[in-house]
PDB file of all heavy atoms in Angstrom:
ATOM      1  N   GLU S  86      30.640   1.438  -0.258  1.00  0.00           N
ATOM      2  CA  GLU S  86      31.199   0.724  -1.349  1.00  0.00           C
ATOM      3  C   GLU S  86      30.590   1.190  -2.692  1.00  0.00           C
ATOM      4  O   GLU S  86      31.284   1.286  -3.731  1.00  0.00           O
ATOM      5  CB  GLU S  86      31.003  -0.803  -1.186  1.00  0.00           C
ATOM      6  CG  GLU S  86      31.559  -1.600  -2.349  1.00  0.00           C
ATOM      7  CD  GLU S  86      31.292  -3.128  -2.190  1.00  0.00           C
ATOM      8  OE1 GLU S  86      30.898  -3.550  -1.115  1.00  0.00           O
ATOM      9  OE2 GLU S  86      31.447  -3.811  -3.224  1.00  0.00           O
ATOM     10  N   CYS S  87      29.325   1.481  -2.659  1.00  0.00           N
ATOM     11  CA  CYS S  87      28.601   1.965  -3.838  1.00  0.00           C
ATOM     12  C   CYS S  87      29.020   3.368  -4.232  1.00  0.00           C
ATOM     13  O   CYS S  87      28.811   3.795  -5.346  1.00  0.00           O
ATOM     14  CB  CYS S  87      27.078   1.893  -3.616  1.00  0.00           C
ATOM     15  SG  CYS S  87      26.060   2.125  -5.090  1.00  0.00           S
ATOM     16  N   GLY S  88      29.604   4.107  -3.247  1.00  0.00           N
ATOM     17  CA  GLY S  88      30.026   5.456  -3.512  1.00  0.00           C
ATOM     18  C   GLY S  88      28.956   6.510  -3.255  1.00  0.00           C
ATOM     19  O   GLY S  88      29.103   7.649  -3.683  1.00  0.00           O
ATOM     20  N   LEU S  89      27.860   6.152  -2.518  1.00  0.00           N
ATOM     21  CA  LEU S  89      26.805   7.138  -2.291  1.00  0.00           C
ATOM     22  C   LEU S  89      27.420   8.411  -1.695  1.00  0.00           C
ATOM     23  O   LEU S  89      28.234   8.383  -0.793  1.00  0.00           O
ATOM     24  CB  LEU S  89      25.792   6.561  -1.319  1.00  0.00           C
ATOM     25  CG  LEU S  89      24.878   5.431  -1.760  1.00  0.00           C
ATOM     26  CD1 LEU S  89      23.731   5.256  -0.768  1.00  0.00           C
ATOM     27  CD2 LEU S  89      24.357   5.595  -3.137  1.00  0.00           C
ATOM     28  N   LYS S  90      26.889   9.519  -2.176  1.00  0.00           N
ATOM     29  CA  LYS S  90      27.178  10.837  -1.566  1.00  0.00           C
ATOM     30  C   LYS S  90      26.195  11.248  -0.507  1.00  0.00           C
ATOM     31  O   LYS S  90      26.440  12.143   0.267  1.00  0.00           O
ATOM     32  CB  LYS S  90      27.269  11.907  -2.669  1.00  0.00           C
ATOM     33  CG  LYS S  90      28.220  11.609  -3.803  1.00  0.00           C
ATOM     34  CD  LYS S  90      29.675  11.480  -3.347  1.00  0.00           C
ATOM     35  CE  LYS S  90      30.612  11.235  -4.518  1.00  0.00           C
ATOM     36  NZ  LYS S  90      31.973  11.020  -4.045  1.00  0.00           N
ATOM     37  N   ALA S  91      25.006  10.598  -0.552  1.00  0.00           N
ATOM     38  CA  ALA S  91      23.925  10.958   0.379  1.00  0.00           C
ATOM     39  C   ALA S  91      23.062   9.729   0.611  1.00  0.00           C
ATOM     40  O   ALA S  91      22.924   8.866  -0.243  1.00  0.00           O
ATOM     41  CB  ALA S  91      23.118  12.117  -0.187  1.00  0.00           C
ATOM     42  N   TYR S  92      22.475   9.703   1.789  1.00  0.00           N
ATOM     43  CA  TYR S  92      21.483   8.666   2.115  1.00  0.00           C
ATOM     44  C   TYR S  92      20.315   9.287   2.819  1.00  0.00           C
ATOM     45  O   TYR S  92      20.439  10.010   3.826  1.00  0.00           O
ATOM     46  CB  TYR S  92      22.128   7.604   3.073  1.00  0.00           C
ATOM     47  CG  TYR S  92      21.128   6.621   3.641  1.00  0.00           C
ATOM     48  CD1 TYR S  92      20.326   5.862   2.827  1.00  0.00           C
ATOM     49  CD2 TYR S  92      21.098   6.411   5.034  1.00  0.00           C
ATOM     50  CE1 TYR S  92      19.459   4.887   3.334  1.00  0.00           C
ATOM     51  CE2 TYR S  92      20.200   5.442   5.562  1.00  0.00           C
ATOM     52  CZ  TYR S  92      19.385   4.720   4.727  1.00  0.00           C
ATOM     53  OH  TYR S  92      18.549   3.821   5.247  1.00  0.00           O
ATOM     54  N   ARG S  93      19.145   9.135   2.221  1.00  0.00           N
ATOM     55  CA  ARG S  93      17.913   9.659   2.801  1.00  0.00           C
ATOM     56  C   ARG S  93      17.269   8.531   3.647  1.00  0.00           C
ATOM     57  O   ARG S  93      17.016   7.452   3.148  1.00  0.00           O
ATOM     58  CB  ARG S  93      16.943  10.112   1.708  1.00  0.00           C
ATOM     59  CG  ARG S  93      15.640  10.667   2.290  1.00  0.00           C
ATOM     60  CD  ARG S  93      14.468  10.550   1.353  1.00  0.00           C
ATOM     61  NE  ARG S  93      13.259  10.919   2.048  1.00  0.00           N
ATOM     62  CZ  ARG S  93      12.043  10.614   1.574  1.00  0.00           C
ATOM     63  NH1 ARG S  93      11.854  10.006   0.409  1.00  0.00           N
ATOM     64  NH2 ARG S  93      10.987  10.987   2.290  1.00  0.00           N
ATOM     65  N   PHE S  94      17.054   8.808   4.922  1.00  0.00           N
ATOM     66  CA  PHE S  94      16.406   7.924   5.845  1.00  0.00           C
ATOM     67  C   PHE S  94      15.325   8.659   6.553  1.00  0.00           C
ATOM     68  O   PHE S  94      15.241   9.884   6.490  1.00  0.00           O
ATOM     69  CB  PHE S  94      17.410   7.256   6.783  1.00  0.00           C
ATOM     70  CG  PHE S  94      18.017   8.252   7.756  1.00  0.00           C
ATOM     71  CD1 PHE S  94      17.509   8.385   9.017  1.00  0.00           C
ATOM     72  CD2 PHE S  94      19.057   9.094   7.420  1.00  0.00           C
ATOM     73  CE1 PHE S  94      18.044   9.285   9.943  1.00  0.00           C
ATOM     74  CE2 PHE S  94      19.595  10.018   8.294  1.00  0.00           C
ATOM     75  CZ  PHE S  94      19.064  10.115   9.558  1.00  0.00           C
TER      76      PHE S  94
END
Side-chain angles (χ1 to χ4, degrees):
E86 180 184 344
C87 192
L89 292 193
K90 305 298 183 185
Y92 172 54
R93 180 204 171 196
F94 67 98

